[in-house]
Amino acid sequence: ALLGEIPAGFKCKGWDSMVKYLNGPIELGLGYARHIDFATYDGNAWRLHAGYDARVVKVLGAYERIHLDGNNGSVGKSNTRYYSIGIQAPIGPGTLSAQYGNRDNGATATSTAVTEVANGGAKQYSVSYKYGFSKRTYAYTWAARVKAESAASIYGSTGGKATSVGFGVQH
């Protein structure tokens, strides 16, 4: 099949939805996604987000659960959970951010099976700084590291660490 073509017999339906609440220092969000009759799985995901801005620091957190069931000839199921916590602190005209994330395991979906991947989890750490020159122009820099468990894939190999650093300007 060509890229973007849907194989014959698959109806591939899905939707994503979100409810968001913002009031003063409080932000809350709840999201739900559903995928039906994809080539090798049916699935759904829930994501809860919360934040509180205490002016000197903003605390953010999220929790996500992803469930996949085999279909169209594949069998099995998987459940993956992910959470993250982060902070944002205003420093001068900029904002310093730091985040930690953790995924409990991985999942694979092939033409014959949907499988939870034991030791397929990972931890992620990141820090960034965004400096505002004006309301529309800012510079930013970041550093991030992922530490993958022995069966988690990073850049085509399993296990190990990956680090990224960068900077940019947006106008």
Side-chain angles (χ1 to χ4, degrees):
L2 297 173
L3 184 62
E5 247 182 60
I6 298 173
F10 299 110
K11 297 180 182 119
C12 298
K13 296 176 277 201
W15 72 85
D16 295 311
S17 55
M18 184 210 28
V19 175
K20 189 175 182 179
Y21 173 81
L22 298 172
N23 187 6
I26 298 171
E27 64 183 67
L28 297 169
L30 179 64
Y32 177 73
R34 178 78 171 119
H35 296 163
I36 303 164
D37 203 24
F38 278 42
T40 58
Y41 70 89
D42 291 332
N44 64 65
W46 288 94
R47 182 170 180 86
L48 175 65
H49 164 83
Y52 183 79
D53 190 347
R55 296 188 188 189
V56 294
V57 68
K58 183 176 186 177
V59 179
L60 301 159
Y63 175 80
E64 183 171 12
R65 185 207 47 89
I66 302 167
H67 176 79
L68 302 178
D69 280 313
N71 72 354
N72 297 316
S74 72
V75 296
K77 64 182 179 178
S78 75
N79 288 296
T80 302
R81 289 166 190 81
Y82 173 81
Y83 70 88
S84 65
I85 186 152
I87 60 166
Q88 295 176 340
I91 297 178
T95 303
L96 179 66
S97 300
Q99 183 180 24
Y100 169 78
N102 186 311
R103 184 182 72 206
D104 67 347
N105 61 37
T108 61
T110 68
S111 61
T112 58
V114 171
T115 310
E116 277 186 18
V117 178
N119 295 320
K123 294 173 176 54
Q124 172 263 327
Y125 311 86
S126 64
V127 64
S128 66
Y129 184 72
K130 179 178 166 181
Y131 182 89
F133 294 107
S134 69
K135 289 183 180 183
R136 297 182 317 171
T137 305
Y138 60 87
Y140 58 92
T141 185
W142 82 88
R145 171 166 278 194
V146 174
K147 292 182 180 180
E149 292 179 348
S150 61
S153 178
I154 292 183
Y155 300 120
S157 61
T158 54
K161 300 174 188 174
T163 302
S164 70
V165 294
F167 64 91
V169 175
Q170 180 171 329
H171 175 72

